């Protein structure tokens, strides 16, 4: 899990490639303006590893509706474990971990310097659509959250990973924090990019970065 200087999260997909949300990026191309912070929970820790971006690739066809993923090529590799992404839909169920340095409540607008995490259950598209209707791009997005609200990702968490363990007990990324109406409202799940749907696109884009 990494922090991005514009106020988003991300995950190390390769030692020198970060997977994040397209809506955190200003577009594709050479970009040396992003500072990626890795290796720490506390962003102010002196142990923080800071690496600059080199290039950004936003999902082909991204227009603000679905396809909310992007890759950042780093100026140098980070010697930390990478997070495997889901390549099939089989892990799009169960309970997920979400994490980030974003707001701890709706409207806070401050974020946190210490990484926070929480658990949220999968929410079926059919149920998620009770609130979002056709604003949910069901094939490209995955919902998670408690019906009663109270626990969610929020502004500043975008781009960060939603993950669980696979059958072999290894962490696997199933989602990317994308959007939601407010944060942690009852009956309003968080919406995440459905990573498995884009796994081959992501692999191809990473190989071409
Ligand atoms: N779009 C937000 C960001 O840029 C993430 C919002 C997630 N919202 C939610 N209710 N789960 O940080």
């Amino acid at each position: 899990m990494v922090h991005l200087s514009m106020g988003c999260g991300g995950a190390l997909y390769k030692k020198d490639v970060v997977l994040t949300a397209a809506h955190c990026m200003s577009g594709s191309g050479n970009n040396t303006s992003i500072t990626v912070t890795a290796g720490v929970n506390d962003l102010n820790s002196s142990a923080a590893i800071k690496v600059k971006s080199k290039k950004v690739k936003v999902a082909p066809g991204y227009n603000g509706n679905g396809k909310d993923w992007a890759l950042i090529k780093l100026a140098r590799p980070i010697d930390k474990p990478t997070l495997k992404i889901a390549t099939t839909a089989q892990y799009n169920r169960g309970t997920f971990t979400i994490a980030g340095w974003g707001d701890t409540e709706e409207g806070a607008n401050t974020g946190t310097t210490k990484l926070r995490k929480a658990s949220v259950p999968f929410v079926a598209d059919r149920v998620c659509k009770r609130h979002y209707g056709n604003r949910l791009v069901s094939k490209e997005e995955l919902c998670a959250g408690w019906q009663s609200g109270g626990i969610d990702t929020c502004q500043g968490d975008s781009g960060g990973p939603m993950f669980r363990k696979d059958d072999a007990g290894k962490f696997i990324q199933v989602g990317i924090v994308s959007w939601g109406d407010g944060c942690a409202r009852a009956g309003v799940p968080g919406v995440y990019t459905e990573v498995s749907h884009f796994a081959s696109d992501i692999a191809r884009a990473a190989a071409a970065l």
Side-chain angles (χ1 to χ4, degrees):
M1 166 107 215
V2 301
H3 177 267
L4 308 180
S5 51
M6 84 293 292
C8 280
L12 261 197
Y13 174 69
K14 295 185 177 183
K15 300 271 183 202
D16 62 349
V17 178
V18 167
L19 177 61
T20 185
H23 82 264
C24 292
M25 302 291 115
S26 48
S28 297
N30 293 338
N31 182 331
T32 55
S33 73
I34 305 167
T35 302
V36 175
T37 303
V40 289
N41 292 346
D42 185 341
L43 295 175
N44 295 327
S45 162
S46 57
I49 300 169
K50 291 183 190 270
V51 176
K52 287 281 187 188
S53 59
K54 188 159 146 187
K55 220 175 176 186
V56 169
K57 174 69 183 178
V58 166
Y62 173 70
N63 67 0
N65 195 17
K67 300 181 180 55
D68 194 9
W69 64 269
L71 295 173
I72 304 170
K73 174 89 169 182
L74 303 176
R76 60 180 174 84
I78 294 176
D79 192 18
K80 289 287 170 189
T82 56
L83 182 57
K84 188 162 64 124
I85 65 171
T87 56
T88 70
Q90 68 171 303
Y91 297 113
N92 298 341
R93 66 184 71 221
T95 301
F96 306 127
T97 301
I98 47 176
W101 289 271
D103 288 350
T104 56
E105 60 182 325
E106 183 176 334
N109 273 319
T110 55
T112 60
T113 55
K114 293 206 174 101
L115 183 64
R116 292 168 58 103
K117 66 171 179 178
S119 293
V120 281
F122 169 78
V123 173
D125 288 340
R126 178 181 49 81
V127 175
C128 198
K129 282 193 169 195
R130 286 180 197 152
H131 175 76
Y132 290 113
N134 290 332
R135 287 191 291 149
L136 181 74
V137 185
S138 359
K139 276 199 295 209
E140 303 182 359
E141 294 172 326
L142 171 68
C143 301
W146 302 94
Q147 179 60 34
S148 53
I151 298 178
D152 197 5
T153 44
C154 199
Q155 269 52 42
D157 291 322
S158 280
M162 178 166 79
F163 53 96
R164 52 164 284 167
K165 280 184 174 169
D166 67 11
D167 291 338
K170 296 259 195 197
F171 285 119
I172 190 163
Q173 182 173 0
V174 297
I176 300 169
V177 180
S178 184
W179 63 284
D181 281 344
C183 304
R185 297 181 188 173
V188 184
V191 184
Y192 298 80
T193 307
E194 193 167 312
V195 166
S196 60
H197 180 79
F198 295 106
S200 54
D201 292 347
I202 291 169
R204 200 174 315 117
L209 254 186

